[in-house]
Amino acid sequence: FVKQDYEMLSNHFDVKKVNYRTPKDIFKIARTISNSDLTYSWFASGHSFLSVLLSKIMGKKSIVVAGGYDVAFAPEIGYGQYTLGWHKRKYADFALKNADLVLAVSDFTKTEAMAHAKPKNIEVIYNAIDTDKFRPGSGKEERTREDLVLTVASGLKNVIELKGLDAFVQAAARLPDAKFIVLGLSNDDRDTLKGMKSTNNIELHGYVNQEELISYYQKAKVYCQLSYRESFGVALAEAMACGCVPVVTNRGALPEVVDDVGFSVSYGDLESTVSSIKRALRDNNGTRARARIEERFSQKIREIKLRYAIERLRIKSPRGKDN
């Protein structure tokens, strides 16, 4: 996320990167802010608290991106910054309340941010996908997609419950003629899921690089995001951009991303999940899914909206180049 926005903003502004890792970095951050017109921070947390605070002291503008985990409160699955210590919540509250602009990555995330704080200026600019990189295979590859159902996880805490991987494994047992794959698992989570699976039509993999990931997207007919919650669903959008038909839960921002180009199920509803995967495998047409991403969630759209958001804060260079 950070790298993508840095590259986009660098096309229009003079952008300097600065990280907060130790208290010594405060002095470096302060010097950088003093020579800038605006600060742009991903996630409402300790580092953005510092950025917004110093910006206010120095009379600079500030933007904070609410990305999801930072404004989440899901104690029933132990997920979200607002389930942590009081100081974490206070840092996030201050950043959200005092930034000149808060950018949420979805309407769902905007609602969550507003439930914790009352930002004086908040708007939605969706996450973005590089649709030139994430695209269907060409020629024969695209015409011969496998009956493959894919999902992508990560090494997050409670990832099995968070991403609905137990339902994914159970669905595989009910659909033995299709192949199911989970990517991105930690060793511990892979071992746990091995104990759950009862058929041989499911593969459990760890981390794969981006080129391998795209290759999986281009082979699969169906992509599942059976999550308890999602602030956006980047892997889902990547898969859709590659032509996969989506099957998602009706939670978080997933309906915003999919709209009517895929299939929606209730979290943990195995019967509905199996039925929807069957229908998605027969659908065999991911062109509408890709068109949805190109029309609503491309990098070009995010870049334009980010630039205009900064310009509305009247950040301009006397040289004529935005600064």
Side-chain angles (χ1 to χ4, degrees), residues 177-215:
D177 293 333
K179 183 177 180 181
F180 287 67
I181 294 180
V182 185
L183 300 176
L185 293 167
S186 69
N187 289 335
D188 288 344
D189 289 326
R190 187 160 35 177
D191 289 342
T192 300
L193 288 177
K194 282 180 180 177
M196 294 182 182
K197 76 185 189 78
S198 58
T199 56
N200 294 322
N201 65 324
I202 183 166
E203 297 178 5
L204 309 172
H205 297 282
Y207 170 82
V208 296
N209 62 38
Q210 191 174 83
E211 290 73 22
E212 292 172 312
L213 179 61
I214 292 172
S215 177

mmCIF file of all heavy atoms in Angstrom, residues 177-215:
data_model
loop_
_atom_site.group_PDB
_atom_site.id
_atom_site.type_symbol
_atom_site.label_atom_id
_atom_site.label_comp_id
_atom_site.label_asym_id
_atom_site.label_seq_id
_atom_site.Cartn_x
_atom_site.Cartn_y
_atom_site.Cartn_z
ATOM 1 N N ASP A 177 -14.556 -33.105 -7.189
ATOM 2 C CA ASP A 177 -14.137 -33.026 -8.589
ATOM 3 C C ASP A 177 -13.399 -31.727 -8.905
ATOM 4 O O ASP A 177 -12.842 -31.587 -10.005
ATOM 5 C CB ASP A 177 -15.353 -33.156 -9.515
ATOM 6 C CG ASP A 177 -15.974 -34.552 -9.453
ATOM 7 O OD1 ASP A 177 -15.226 -35.503 -9.138
ATOM 8 O OD2 ASP A 177 -17.189 -34.673 -9.697
ATOM 9 N N ALA A 178 -13.417 -30.797 -7.995
ATOM 10 C CA ALA A 178 -12.699 -29.532 -8.188
ATOM 11 C C ALA A 178 -11.421 -29.550 -7.350
ATOM 12 O O ALA A 178 -11.299 -30.308 -6.384
ATOM 13 C CB ALA A 178 -13.571 -28.350 -7.795
ATOM 14 N N LYS A 179 -10.481 -28.718 -7.722
ATOM 15 C CA LYS A 179 -9.223 -28.587 -6.998
ATOM 16 C C LYS A 179 -9.263 -27.297 -6.182
ATOM 17 O O LYS A 179 -9.650 -26.238 -6.691
ATOM 18 C CB LYS A 179 -8.052 -28.561 -7.980
ATOM 19 C CG LYS A 179 -6.673 -28.508 -7.338
ATOM 20 C CD LYS A 179 -5.613 -28.559 -8.438
ATOM 21 C CE LYS A 179 -4.205 -28.502 -7.851
ATOM 22 N NZ LYS A 179 -3.177 -28.534 -8.927
ATOM 23 N N PHE A 180 -8.857 -27.376 -4.930
ATOM 24 C CA PHE A 180 -8.853 -26.217 -4.033
ATOM 25 C C PHE A 180 -7.416 -25.922 -3.589
ATOM 26 O O PHE A 180 -6.647 -26.854 -3.297
ATOM 27 C CB PHE A 180 -9.713 -26.478 -2.799
ATOM 28 C CG PHE A 180 -11.201 -26.453 -3.058
ATOM 29 C CD1 PHE A 180 -11.806 -27.431 -3.851
ATOM 30 C CD2 PHE A 180 -11.992 -25.455 -2.516
ATOM 31 C CE1 PHE A 180 -13.179 -27.409 -4.085
ATOM 32 C CE2 PHE A 180 -13.363 -25.425 -2.747
ATOM 33 C CZ PHE A 180 -13.962 -26.404 -3.531
ATOM 34 N N ILE A 181 -7.059 -24.641 -3.525
ATOM 35 C CA ILE A 181 -5.710 -24.246 -3.115
ATOM 36 C C ILE A 181 -5.794 -23.064 -2.163
ATOM 37 O O ILE A 181 -6.527 -22.098 -2.409
ATOM 38 C CB ILE A 181 -4.827 -23.875 -4.321
ATOM 39 C CG1 ILE A 181 -4.561 -25.105 -5.189
ATOM 40 C CG2 ILE A 181 -3.515 -23.247 -3.869
ATOM 41 C CD1 ILE A 181 -3.698 -24.829 -6.410
ATOM 42 N N VAL A 182 -5.024 -23.142 -1.076
ATOM 43 C CA VAL A 182 -4.829 -22.015 -0.168
ATOM 44 C C VAL A 182 -3.377 -21.575 -0.282
ATOM 45 O O VAL A 182 -2.458 -22.400 -0.176
ATOM 46 C CB VAL A 182 -5.129 -22.385 1.297
ATOM 47 C CG1 VAL A 182 -5.027 -21.142 2.187
ATOM 48 C CG2 VAL A 182 -6.506 -23.025 1.430
ATOM 49 N N LEU A 183 -3.148 -20.283 -0.482
ATOM 50 C CA LEU A 183 -1.800 -19.725 -0.570
ATOM 51 C C LEU A 183 -1.539 -18.789 0.604
ATOM 52 O O LEU A 183 -2.458 -18.169 1.137
ATOM 53 C CB LEU A 183 -1.633 -18.930 -1.871
ATOM 54 C CG LEU A 183 -1.835 -19.665 -3.191
ATOM 55 C CD1 LEU A 183 -1.727 -18.687 -4.352
ATOM 56 C CD2 LEU A 183 -0.827 -20.796 -3.352
ATOM 57 N N GLY A 184 -0.266 -18.688 0.981
ATOM 58 C CA GLY A 184 0.152 -17.688 1.952
ATOM 59 C C GLY A 184 0.097 -18.100 3.405
ATOM 60 O O GLY A 184 0.192 -17.253 4.299
ATOM 61 N N LEU A 185 -0.020 -19.379 3.692
ATOM 62 C CA LEU A 185 -0.164 -19.846 5.069
ATOM 63 C C LEU A 185 1.166 -19.878 5.811
ATOM 64 O O LEU A 185 2.215 -20.172 5.241
ATOM 65 C CB LEU A 185 -0.765 -21.256 5.081
ATOM 66 C CG LEU A 185 -2.212 -21.392 4.611
ATOM 67 C CD1 LEU A 185 -2.536 -22.866 4.384
ATOM 68 C CD2 LEU A 185 -3.163 -20.778 5.621
ATOM 69 N N SER A 186 1.107 -19.610 7.106
ATOM 70 C CA SER A 186 2.256 -19.866 7.967
ATOM 71 C C SER A 186 2.358 -21.369 8.195
ATOM 72 O O SER A 186 1.405 -22.121 7.936
ATOM 73 C CB SER A 186 2.090 -19.150 9.309
ATOM 74 O OG SER A 186 1.029 -19.758 10.049
ATOM 75 N N ASN A 187 3.497 -21.821 8.694
ATOM 76 C CA ASN A 187 3.671 -23.262 8.953
ATOM 77 C C ASN A 187 2.654 -23.765 9.970
ATOM 78 O O ASN A 187 2.090 -24.858 9.820
ATOM 79 C CB ASN A 187 5.092 -23.543 9.437
ATOM 80 C CG ASN A 187 6.115 -23.374 8.336
ATOM 81 O OD1 ASN A 187 5.800 -23.506 7.152
ATOM 82 N ND2 ASN A 187 7.344 -23.068 8.709
ATOM 83 N N ASP A 188 2.405 -22.977 11.008
ATOM 84 C CA ASP A 188 1.455 -23.396 12.049
ATOM 85 C C ASP A 188 0.039 -23.515 11.487
ATOM 86 O O ASP A 188 -0.672 -24.482 11.769
ATOM 87 C CB ASP A 188 1.479 -22.400 13.215
ATOM 88 C CG ASP A 188 2.747 -22.503 14.050
ATOM 89 O OD1 ASP A 188 3.459 -23.524 13.920
ATOM 90 O OD2 ASP A 188 3.020 -21.567 14.818
ATOM 91 N N ASP A 189 -0.363 -22.523 10.699
ATOM 92 C CA ASP A 189 -1.713 -22.563 10.137
ATOM 93 C C ASP A 189 -1.862 -23.687 9.120
ATOM 94 O O ASP A 189 -2.922 -24.310 9.013
ATOM 95 C CB ASP A 189 -2.063 -21.220 9.491
ATOM 96 C CG ASP A 189 -2.275 -20.122 10.514
ATOM 97 O OD1 ASP A 189 -2.789 -20.428 11.605
ATOM 98 O OD2 ASP A 189 -1.915 -18.963 10.246
ATOM 99 N N ARG A 190 -0.789 -23.954 8.398
ATOM 100 C CA ARG A 190 -0.837 -25.059 7.438
ATOM 101 C C ARG A 190 -1.019 -26.388 8.176
ATOM 102 O O ARG A 190 -1.810 -27.238 7.755
ATOM 103 C CB ARG A 190 0.439 -25.068 6.595
ATOM 104 C CG ARG A 190 0.411 -26.066 5.470
ATOM 105 C CD ARG A 190 1.410 -25.765 4.380
ATOM 106 N NE ARG A 190 2.650 -25.184 4.849
ATOM 107 C CZ ARG A 190 3.682 -24.897 4.055
ATOM 108 N NH1 ARG A 190 3.594 -25.139 2.770
ATOM 109 N NH2 ARG A 190 4.771 -24.366 4.543
ATOM 110 N N ASP A 191 -0.322 -26.546 9.293
ATOM 111 C CA ASP A 191 -0.458 -27.775 10.075
ATOM 112 C C ASP A 191 -1.876 -27.916 10.637
ATOM 113 O O ASP A 191 -2.442 -29.010 10.654
ATOM 114 C CB ASP A 191 0.554 -27.779 11.220
ATOM 115 C CG ASP A 191 1.991 -27.984 10.736
ATOM 116 O OD1 ASP A 191 2.168 -28.452 9.594
ATOM 117 O OD2 ASP A 191 2.921 -27.651 11.500
ATOM 118 N N THR A 192 -2.432 -26.807 11.090
ATOM 119 C CA THR A 192 -3.800 -26.834 11.625
ATOM 120 C C THR A 192 -4.799 -27.248 10.554
ATOM 121 O O THR A 192 -5.677 -28.091 10.785
ATOM 122 C CB THR A 192 -4.187 -25.456 12.187
ATOM 123 O OG1 THR A 192 -3.286 -25.103 13.244
ATOM 124 C CG2 THR A 192 -5.617 -25.469 12.720
ATOM 125 N N LEU A 193 -4.670 -26.669 9.366
ATOM 126 C CA LEU A 193 -5.607 -26.988 8.287
ATOM 127 C C LEU A 193 -5.416 -28.406 7.775
ATOM 128 O O LEU A 193 -6.373 -29.046 7.333
ATOM 129 C CB LEU A 193 -5.457 -25.987 7.144
ATOM 130 C CG LEU A 193 -5.991 -24.580 7.417
ATOM 131 C CD1 LEU A 193 -5.709 -23.659 6.242
ATOM 132 C CD2 LEU A 193 -7.486 -24.612 7.715
ATOM 133 N N LYS A 194 -4.184 -28.918 7.834
ATOM 134 C CA LYS A 194 -3.960 -30.315 7.447
ATOM 135 C C LYS A 194 -4.779 -31.250 8.314
ATOM 136 O O LYS A 194 -5.275 -32.285 7.853
ATOM 137 C CB LYS A 194 -2.474 -30.660 7.561
ATOM 138 C CG LYS A 194 -1.619 -30.156 6.425
ATOM 139 C CD LYS A 194 -0.158 -30.549 6.633
ATOM 140 C CE LYS A 194 0.718 -30.039 5.497
ATOM 141 N NZ LYS A 194 2.155 -30.344 5.716
ATOM 142 N N GLY A 195 -4.929 -30.881 9.591
ATOM 143 C CA GLY A 195 -5.727 -31.697 10.500
ATOM 144 C C GLY A 195 -7.211 -31.622 10.219
ATOM 145 O O GLY A 195 -7.980 -32.489 10.643
ATOM 146 N N MET A 196 -7.628 -30.572 9.495
ATOM 147 C CA MET A 196 -9.048 -30.404 9.173
ATOM 148 C C MET A 196 -9.439 -31.076 7.865
ATOM 149 O O MET A 196 -10.578 -31.511 7.699
ATOM 150 C CB MET A 196 -9.393 -28.910 9.054
ATOM 151 C CG MET A 196 -9.290 -28.119 10.327
ATOM 152 S SD MET A 196 -9.790 -26.388 10.011
ATOM 153 C CE MET A 196 -9.529 -25.672 11.640
ATOM 154 N N LYS A 197 -8.515 -31.140 6.919
ATOM 155 C CA LYS A 197 -8.890 -31.624 5.591
ATOM 156 C C LYS A 197 -9.041 -33.141 5.579
ATOM 157 O O LYS A 197 -8.299 -33.861 6.233
ATOM 158 C CB LYS A 197 -7.880 -31.171 4.533
ATOM 159 C CG LYS A 197 -6.557 -31.883 4.478
ATOM 160 C CD LYS A 197 -5.652 -31.205 3.447
ATOM 161 C CE LYS A 197 -4.388 -31.999 3.179
ATOM 162 N NZ LYS A 197 -4.628 -33.143 2.299
ATOM 163 N N SER A 198 -10.045 -33.589 4.837
ATOM 164 C CA SER A 198 -10.345 -35.026 4.792
ATOM 165 C C SER A 198 -10.274 -35.582 3.382
ATOM 166 O O SER A 198 -10.581 -36.755 3.163
ATOM 167 C CB SER A 198 -11.751 -35.269 5.372
ATOM 168 O OG SER A 198 -12.722 -34.537 4.643
ATOM 169 N N THR A 199 -9.908 -34.737 2.410
ATOM 170 C CA THR A 199 -9.803 -35.185 1.028
ATOM 171 C C THR A 199 -8.473 -34.754 0.447
ATOM 172 O O THR A 199 -7.752 -33.935 1.023
ATOM 173 C CB THR A 199 -10.948 -34.600 0.171
ATOM 174 O OG1 THR A 199 -10.921 -33.167 0.285
ATOM 175 C CG2 THR A 199 -12.298 -35.106 0.640
ATOM 176 N N ASN A 200 -8.155 -35.291 -0.720
ATOM 177 C CA ASN A 200 -6.870 -34.987 -1.355
ATOM 178 C C ASN A 200 -6.978 -33.919 -2.446
ATOM 179 O O ASN A 200 -6.017 -33.695 -3.183
ATOM 180 C CB ASN A 200 -6.276 -36.268 -1.962
ATOM 181 C CG ASN A 200 -5.910 -37.283 -0.903
ATOM 182 O OD1 ASN A 200 -5.435 -36.927 0.169
ATOM 183 N ND2 ASN A 200 -6.149 -38.559 -1.200
ATOM 184 N N ASN A 201 -8.132 -33.282 -2.567
ATOM 185 C CA ASN A 201 -8.304 -32.296 -3.632
ATOM 186 C C ASN A 201 -7.997 -30.863 -3.168
ATOM 187 O O ASN A 201 -8.371 -29.901 -3.829
ATOM 188 C CB ASN A 201 -9.723 -32.348 -4.201
ATOM 189 C CG ASN A 201 -10.774 -31.946 -3.186
ATOM 190 O OD1 ASN A 201 -10.651 -32.251 -1.995
ATOM 191 N ND2 ASN A 201 -11.822 -31.265 -3.642
ATOM 192 N N ILE A 202 -7.319 -30.739 -2.031
ATOM 193 C CA ILE A 202 -6.955 -29.409 -1.535
ATOM 194 C C ILE A 202 -5.462 -29.351 -1.241
ATOM 195 O O ILE A 202 -4.897 -30.278 -0.652
ATOM 196 C CB ILE A 202 -7.778 -29.013 -0.287
ATOM 197 C CG1 ILE A 202 -7.422 -27.588 0.163
ATOM 198 C CG2 ILE A 202 -7.605 -30.003 0.843
ATOM 199 C CD1 ILE A 202 -8.408 -26.994 1.147
ATOM 200 N N GLU A 203 -4.822 -28.274 -1.695
ATOM 201 C CA GLU A 203 -3.402 -28.052 -1.464
ATOM 202 C C GLU A 203 -3.226 -26.840 -0.564
ATOM 203 O O GLU A 203 -3.910 -25.822 -0.731
ATOM 204 C CB GLU A 203 -2.662 -27.815 -2.788
ATOM 205 C CG GLU A 203 -2.703 -29.003 -3.731
ATOM 206 C CD GLU A 203 -1.989 -28.712 -5.048
ATOM 207 O OE1 GLU A 203 -1.378 -27.614 -5.165
ATOM 208 O OE2 GLU A 203 -2.066 -29.548 -5.949
ATOM 209 N N LEU A 204 -2.288 -26.925 0.376
ATOM 210 C CA LEU A 204 -2.014 -25.867 1.340
ATOM 211 C C LEU A 204 -0.581 -25.392 1.146
ATOM 212 O O LEU A 204 0.357 -26.168 1.327
ATOM 213 C CB LEU A 204 -2.222 -26.378 2.766
ATOM 214 C CG LEU A 204 -3.568 -27.074 3.046
ATOM 215 C CD1 LEU A 204 -3.573 -27.695 4.429
ATOM 216 C CD2 LEU A 204 -4.726 -26.082 2.894
ATOM 217 N N HIS A 205 -0.423 -24.137 0.765
ATOM 218 C CA HIS A 205 0.899 -23.608 0.445
ATOM 219 C C HIS A 205 1.232 -22.405 1.325
ATOM 220 O O HIS A 205 0.338 -21.697 1.813
ATOM 221 C CB HIS A 205 0.967 -23.166 -1.024
ATOM 222 C CG HIS A 205 0.782 -24.282 -1.992
ATOM 223 N ND1 HIS A 205 1.782 -25.180 -2.301
ATOM 224 C CD2 HIS A 205 -0.310 -24.663 -2.716
ATOM 225 C CE1 HIS A 205 1.331 -26.055 -3.188
ATOM 226 N NE2 HIS A 205 0.060 -25.763 -3.456
ATOM 227 N N GLY A 206 2.514 -22.165 1.474
ATOM 228 C CA GLY A 206 2.988 -20.982 2.177
ATOM 229 C C GLY A 206 3.095 -19.796 1.239
ATOM 230 O O GLY A 206 2.370 -19.686 0.251
ATOM 231 N N TYR A 207 4.034 -18.917 1.555
ATOM 232 C CA TYR A 207 4.222 -17.692 0.774
ATOM 233 C C TYR A 207 4.627 -18.002 -0.659
ATOM 234 O O TYR A 207 5.419 -18.905 -0.913
ATOM 235 C CB TYR A 207 5.300 -16.838 1.434
ATOM 236 C CG TYR A 207 5.756 -15.668 0.589
ATOM 237 C CD1 TYR A 207 5.021 -14.486 0.566
ATOM 238 C CD2 TYR A 207 6.911 -15.762 -0.191
ATOM 239 C CE1 TYR A 207 5.432 -13.420 -0.215
ATOM 240 C CE2 TYR A 207 7.322 -14.692 -0.972
ATOM 241 C CZ TYR A 207 6.581 -13.524 -0.979
ATOM 242 O OH TYR A 207 6.991 -12.474 -1.761
ATOM 243 N N VAL A 208 4.070 -17.255 -1.609
ATOM 244 C CA VAL A 208 4.509 -17.303 -3.002
ATOM 245 C C VAL A 208 4.799 -15.876 -3.446
ATOM 246 O O VAL A 208 4.192 -14.923 -2.948
ATOM 247 C CB VAL A 208 3.446 -17.939 -3.932
ATOM 248 C CG1 VAL A 208 3.205 -19.388 -3.561
ATOM 249 C CG2 VAL A 208 2.143 -17.150 -3.912
ATOM 250 N N ASN A 209 5.725 -15.713 -4.382
ATOM 251 C CA ASN A 209 6.030 -14.365 -4.857
ATOM 252 C C ASN A 209 4.927 -13.885 -5.802
ATOM 253 O O ASN A 209 4.023 -14.640 -6.168
ATOM 254 C CB ASN A 209 7.409 -14.293 -5.515
ATOM 255 C CG ASN A 209 7.530 -15.171 -6.753
ATOM 256 O OD1 ASN A 209 6.591 -15.289 -7.536
ATOM 257 N ND2 ASN A 209 8.689 -15.789 -6.940
ATOM 258 N N GLN A 210 5.016 -12.623 -6.205
ATOM 259 C CA GLN A 210 3.937 -12.032 -6.990
ATOM 260 C C GLN A 210 3.745 -12.712 -8.338
ATOM 261 O O GLN A 210 2.611 -12.912 -8.787
ATOM 262 C CB GLN A 210 4.199 -10.537 -7.194
ATOM 263 C CG GLN A 210 2.997 -9.794 -7.759
ATOM 264 C CD GLN A 210 3.217 -8.303 -7.822
ATOM 265 O OE1 GLN A 210 3.818 -7.793 -8.751
ATOM 266 N NE2 GLN A 210 2.721 -7.592 -6.818
ATOM 267 N N GLU A 211 4.830 -13.087 -8.990
ATOM 268 C CA GLU A 211 4.718 -13.752 -10.289
ATOM 269 C C GLU A 211 3.990 -15.087 -10.142
ATOM 270 O O GLU A 211 3.124 -15.432 -10.968
ATOM 271 C CB GLU A 211 6.107 -13.971 -10.901
ATOM 272 C CG GLU A 211 6.796 -12.693 -11.363
ATOM 273 C CD GLU A 211 7.293 -11.823 -10.228
ATOM 274 O OE1 GLU A 211 7.504 -12.352 -9.100
ATOM 275 O OE2 GLU A 211 7.461 -10.604 -10.447
ATOM 276 N N GLU A 212 4.320 -15.846 -9.102
ATOM 277 C CA GLU A 212 3.636 -17.120 -8.865
ATOM 278 C C GLU A 212 2.163 -16.888 -8.530
ATOM 279 O O GLU A 212 1.282 -17.638 -8.990
ATOM 280 C CB GLU A 212 4.322 -17.862 -7.721
ATOM 281 C CG GLU A 212 5.724 -18.344 -8.038
ATOM 282 C CD GLU A 212 6.430 -18.913 -6.814
ATOM 283 O OE1 GLU A 212 6.409 -18.268 -5.758
ATOM 284 O OE2 GLU A 212 7.006 -20.016 -6.921
ATOM 285 N N LEU A 213 1.906 -15.858 -7.742
ATOM 286 C CA LEU A 213 0.529 -15.548 -7.354
ATOM 287 C C LEU A 213 -0.322 -15.251 -8.580
ATOM 288 O O LEU A 213 -1.433 -15.773 -8.729
ATOM 289 C CB LEU A 213 0.524 -14.356 -6.399
ATOM 290 C CG LEU A 213 -0.833 -13.863 -5.907
ATOM 291 C CD1 LEU A 213 -1.554 -14.956 -5.130
ATOM 292 C CD2 LEU A 213 -0.658 -12.612 -5.040
ATOM 293 N N ILE A 214 0.197 -14.420 -9.477
ATOM 294 C CA ILE A 214 -0.537 -14.093 -10.699
ATOM 295 C C ILE A 214 -0.790 -15.343 -11.521
ATOM 296 O O ILE A 214 -1.872 -15.526 -12.094
ATOM 297 C CB ILE A 214 0.228 -13.035 -11.518
ATOM 298 C CG1 ILE A 214 0.236 -11.696 -10.761
ATOM 299 C CG2 ILE A 214 -0.389 -12.866 -12.900
ATOM 300 C CD1 ILE A 214 1.119 -10.646 -11.379
ATOM 301 N N SER A 215 0.180 -16.235 -11.579
ATOM 302 C CA SER A 215 0.012 -17.485 -12.318
ATOM 303 C C SER A 215 -1.145 -18.307 -11.756
ATOM 304 O O SER A 215 -1.947 -18.878 -12.516
ATOM 305 C CB SER A 215 1.307 -18.300 -12.267
ATOM 306 O OG SER A 215 1.147 -19.543 -12.908
#
